[in-house]
Each structure stands twice: as structure tokens, then as C-alpha cells.
Amino acid sequence: MRMPTQIELEQTFGGAGPAARTRSIHQDLREEEARGRLMRSAQVDDNCRVSTTITATFSGDAAATGRYLTGWIEFGRIRFLGVPDFTTGSTRLAQEGEPTLNPDLSNFNPTQHFVMPCVAQVAGYRWEKGFPVAAKCFIVALGPVPDGFRAAVSAVWSGPGVRME
């Protein structure tokens, strides 16, 4: 059996020679593997969640209306596939000038320790390439509050999304 000639080799590998053809195959395989890695790291997850705690201080117009508008709350590396579910709740914060509460709350006195629940409502979303990437919220006091009232409101967005790596 004889060895193929240079011309026969070039014709077999599309006229580019065996080295060029092999190099192209390896480059294609590397690119395909890289695309697969990116797709594996960008799989849709049903349980994506973004949570934050917003400290709202009601002063001036915010105290008069009982509404405080936050800045943009970024969702970071999560891209929800649509408008996510939203849950909210509040935690009481110590107000300026009131007596300190004991850890077991045994000295709680409603006339000295002001309590007013607050909730958040999404005012709107900022969209990027079809995905909500941030939200602005109204923090609403569920009753009249004095000027300087502070509350900590927890906000959780959850739903199907992609975690960007």
C-alpha cells in the first residue's frame, strides 16, 4: 500500500490540507463546548428570589401622606422571566426619644412606644432586554405617623428566572 500524495491529501480535506481542516474542527468543538457551558449556567430556575429590607423615614410630605417612595431596588444577577410575585411585611424600629425596650419586651407601653405597620407596593419596574431588572416601591404606613417616623419594610420578589453567572 502506498502513501497518499500531497494533492490527494488536499483534495480529501477540502483543498485546505489536513492541518487546516483539523484546526477548524478543534476550534468548532471548543466554541460548542463554551456555548454549552453558558447555556448550563443560564438555565431557568423556578425559585429565583430577591429580598431586601428598606428603612423608610417618613418626614415632611412623606409623614403627611403616609407614603414614601424608594429609589430603584436592583435585582442584581437575577433576571426574572416576567413580573415576579411580590411579598412584603414590616418590622417595628425604635423611634427617636422613646424609652429602650427590654429584649423580652416586658416594658412595652403603647403610650410610649409608637407602633404603626407598613407595607410596600411596587410603583413600577425597570426593564432591560425584556426582563424586569429593578423596582421602585411605595412604602405605605397603615395609619397616621408623626414626622420622623421610621420603619423597616421587608420586600421579597420571587418567580421563574435566570441567575446570571
Side-chain angles (χ1 to χ4, degrees), residues 33-83:
E33 191 276 333
R35 280 192 302 273
R37 236 181 310 120
L38 291 173
M39 289 306 295
R40 283 189 300 278
S41 67
Q43 300 235 349
V44 174
D45 185 1
D46 287 334
N47 299 316
C48 286
R49 182 176 64 108
V50 174
S51 60
T52 187
T53 299
I54 305 154
T55 302
T57 302
F58 293 81
S59 57
D61 289 341
T65 62
R67 284 158 184 77
Y68 171 87
L69 181 63
T70 68
W72 286 110
I73 300 166
E74 302 285 335
F75 296 155
R77 304 202 53 85
I78 291 181
R79 299 294 183 261
F80 290 106
L81 299 183
V83 175

Side-chain angles (χ1 to χ4, degrees), residues 83-119:
V83 175
D85 295 329
F86 181 67
T87 308
T88 182
S90 63
T91 304
R92 181 191 179 282
L93 291 179
Q95 304 301 312
E96 191 174 317
E98 72 179 18
T100 304
L101 281 170
N102 294 336
D104 64 354
L105 304 177
S106 60
N107 66 334
F108 177 77
N109 182 343
T111 60
Q112 294 179 332
H113 300 98
F114 188 70
V115 176
M116 181 56 62
C118 297
V119 295

